[in-house]
Amino acid sequence: MSVKIGEHIDLGEFPLLLAPMEDVSDPPFRYVCKKNGVDMMYTEFVSSEGLIRDAAKSRQKLDIFEYERPIGIQIFGSDIKHMQQSAEICAAVSPDLIDINYGCPVKNVACRGAGASLLQDIDKMVAMTKAVVDATDLPVTVKTRLGWDDSTKNVYEVAERLQDIGIKALSIHGRTRSQMYKGQADWTLIREVKRNPRVKIPIFGNGDVDSVEKAAAWRTEYEVDGIMIGRASIGYPWIFREIKHYFQTGEHLPGPTIAERVDVCRTHLIKSIEWKGEKTGIFEMRRHYANYFKGIPNFKEYRMKLVNLQQVDEILEVLEEIEHQFVAELV
């Protein structure tokens, strides 16, 4: 059975979603994930305050492209009126849906009354969500956590109440806010939400899915409608195609070759420069090199070169050198 969000977004059977990640899931990164089979993506989260002030950084995060569809813009904030206004601003650039972040645990978001802090005030969360739902004809979805801490795991109630006011899907990260990203994600409560006969909307599980085996096992064990992958895709967009291949055939795809790693890294760099300009594009790409070539022995020297170079042609030369060097060694 196909998983649908609202009337018009058909994600096929058991979709894989790219989690919205600050400073990661920008258009260049989304491009390489889309090429590797992700079913739906989200922008980095966008500050409602920034949108209302027309801040350049927030505005830039609204850049979406036709080939990315279906794509959602994720917003966060602490002021209900501002969240409503920012939903209207987002709708004007025609995403496929708007997602609300009630999961971000970091201090400068949660301690300002946004993100996961709304898990401490479900009534306000409901009022804020209703304001966003009422502000747009687009489907509205939500991403959240199990609760604020171990003594307040309230996602079961959250799911019912948010569905009642019109959200079309819910993604749940299997940790509390107080856990941040530590410890292990616990999906048992996600399964309880999914089993709740009152909950009819799609439920997506998120947290710690970093292998084909885990995706296959958790798909069955926790009964979710799809899986959202975040950190495991950084430097490894192939995770989406590998999981899909396994679901379809029961077989493991071989991992990416050195040539493929170089090719995707090069594509990511070029897209980064196209979108952000040469200087920023090169600078922001530096955080990705180590991830793309993780596990390759004696790579440090090349990484140091890549992060210190400032000219695109020099970086492309080093990438070519890496390809020849390591392919020769492997032959």
Side-chain angles (χ1 to χ4, degrees):
M1 239 175 67
S2 262
V3 173
K4 291 186 109 173
I5 296 178
E7 288 172 35
H8 304 297
I9 304 173
D10 187 336
L11 298 177
E13 190 191 345
F14 205 80
L16 301 178
L17 287 64
L18 175 67
M21 292 177 283
E22 176 68 350
D23 291 333
V24 176
S25 46
D26 57 11
F29 180 73
R30 297 198 303 262
Y31 181 86
V32 297
C33 289
K34 188 72 178 178
K35 285 282 185 198
N36 280 283
V38 71
D39 294 298
M40 191 164 89
M41 306 188 291
Y42 301 83
T43 61
E44 301 170 77
F45 68 178
V46 191
S47 158
S48 57
E49 306 297 326
L51 284 178
I52 287 160
R53 290 198 315 272
D54 207 22
K57 192 167 188 239
S58 297
R59 272 280 172 185
Q60 192 186 29
K61 288 180 181 177
L62 299 187
D63 284 0
I64 54 175
F65 300 89
E66 277 306 308
Y67 63 78
E68 298 187 292
R69 297 190 185 280
I71 184 157
I73 294 174
Q74 191 188 67
I75 54 176
F76 75 98
S78 59
D79 182 284
I80 292 174
K81 185 81 184 133
H82 290 173
M83 285 290 280
Q84 186 173 4
Q85 290 171 314
S86 67
E88 290 163 5
I89 294 167
C90 291
V93 303
S94 302
D96 296 285
L97 60 87
I98 290 172
D99 188 75
I100 308 174
N101 180 311
Y102 294 135
C104 181
V106 299
K107 257 192 181 146
N108 66 358
V109 174
C111 293
R112 288 184 186 162
S117 81
L118 274 301
L119 285 161
Q120 298 176 104
D121 188 348
I122 306 301
D123 289 345
K124 183 178 177 182
M125 181 195 277
V126 169
M128 183 179 283
T129 308
K130 187 171 187 333
V132 172
V133 169
D134 291 347
T136 175
D137 293 331
L138 293 169
V140 174
T141 62
V142 162
K143 181 164 192 274
T144 191
R145 289 183 168 233
L146 303 178
W148 180 256
D149 56 27
D150 279 346
S151 60
T152 55
K153 290 183 179 174
N154 48 11
V155 73
Y156 196 87
E157 176 195 349
V158 165
E160 286 190 354
R161 293 184 64 185
L162 294 188
Q163 175 184 265
D164 289 349
I165 50 152
I167 72 163
K168 301 300 182 194
L170 179 65
S171 301
I172 305 169
H173 181 101
R175 288 181 174 85
T176 61
R177 187 271 167 177
S178 61
Q179 274 183 279
M180 303 294 283
Y181 295 99
K182 299 186 182 81
Q184 285 185 308
D186 175 10
W187 284 44
T188 52
L189 201 48
I190 304 177
R191 180 174 55 207
E192 280 180 40
V193 172
K194 181 61 202 163
R195 283 180 175 175
N196 179 353
R198 272 203 61 209
V199 171
K200 308 295 185 200
I201 56 173
I203 301 295
F204 302 120
N206 172 235
D208 291 357
V209 176
D210 54 11
S211 69
V212 168
E213 293 79 8
K214 213 179 262 187
W218 290 12
R219 173 184 184 171
T220 312
E221 188 177 347
Y222 296 111
E223 302 164 22
V224 289
D225 295 293
I227 287 174
M228 180 182 274
I229 295 173
R231 288 174 295 167
S233 66
I234 300 173
Y236 205 86
W238 303 280
I239 192 164
F240 299 106
R241 75 171 187 191
E242 289 177 11
I243 291 171
K244 286 192 146 175
H245 183 81
Y246 189 81
F247 285 167
Q248 285 157 6
T249 66
E251 293 170 4
H252 287 269
L253 260 186
T257 61
I258 295 289
E260 278 182 298
R261 287 173 187 258
V262 169
D263 186 49
V264 169
C265 185
R266 187 191 293 121
T267 301
H268 192 162
L269 170 68
I270 290 163
K271 289 282 176 194
S272 189
I273 290 166
E274 280 173 8
W275 187 58
K276 301 170 189 170
E278 190 161 331
K279 192 177 175 195
T280 309
I282 287 171
F283 178 75
E284 293 198 355
M285 191 62 196
R286 289 175 180 173
R287 65 171 73 104
H288 292 285
Y289 295 126
N291 294 312
Y292 275 122
F293 299 102
K294 208 182 208 160
I296 294 174
N298 310 317
F299 185 72
K300 192 176 176 190
E301 177 196 335
Y302 286 107
R303 187 176 71 82
M304 295 313 291
K305 272 189 195 173
L306 288 169
V307 298
N308 286 309
L309 290 172
Q310 311 204 357
Q311 302 298 319
V312 66
D313 50 353
E314 291 176 353
I315 297 170
L316 292 173
E317 270 176 38
V318 172
L319 287 172
E320 210 163 290
E321 200 184 313
I322 290 166
E323 186 173 346
H324 294 312
Q325 169 75 23
F326 288 102
V327 167
E329 280 182 17
L330 293 170
V331 168

